[in-house]
Amino acid sequence: MIFWTDPQQPGAADELIEAAERYLRPIPGIVHFHVGRMVPSARPVVEQSYQVGLNVVFQDKAAHDAYQVHPGHVEFVEKVFKRVCTRVLVYDFA
């Protein structure tokens, strides 16, 4: 996933990263979790308009589906994501 944070909220990227660590990382069924800021690049093929990236790998499709409705994910979306982000782009693949 890649997130565009609200430019009117200077600490939005840091808040989003901290919230992902707090609310999302502990959710059962995750085998890999990484969240961080976009890294600037001189390469023209690198997307650089977003502020935060999140990569989550699940044990299986059932773990992914459970993650979507887990209270930690719902709380992350409601308390932080909706308030500090203007856009998200999600790639689901196996």
Side-chain angles (χ1 to χ4, degrees):
M1 285 172 262
I2 56 176
F3 299 92
W4 287 262
T5 56
D6 182 351
Q8 302 301 315
Q9 299 185 50
D14 290 333
E15 185 175 353
L16 187 67
I17 290 168
E18 290 168 9
E21 290 284 355
R22 178 174 54 244
Y23 295 114
L24 304 180
R25 183 184 287 274
I27 297 175
I30 293 174
V31 295
H32 172 80
F33 181 95
H34 180 79
V35 62
R37 288 180 166 276
M38 184 275 302
V39 176
S41 174
R43 298 171 50 220
V45 297
V46 176
E47 167 61 55
Q48 297 182 68
S49 66
Y50 70 100
Q51 290 72 47
V52 175
L54 172 65
N55 182 10
V56 181
V57 178
F58 300 95
Q59 290 172 336
D60 52 27
K61 175 85 164 67
H64 167 271
D65 294 346
Y67 169 92
Q68 297 302 321
V69 295
H70 188 279
H73 181 255
V74 173
E75 194 169 4
F76 169 81
V77 170
E78 294 300 322
K79 285 188 173 178
V80 182
F81 167 75
K82 286 184 176 180
R83 185 172 45 78
V84 304
C85 291
T86 59
R87 180 178 173 209
V88 65
L89 183 58
V90 178
Y91 296 97
D92 285 343
F93 59 94

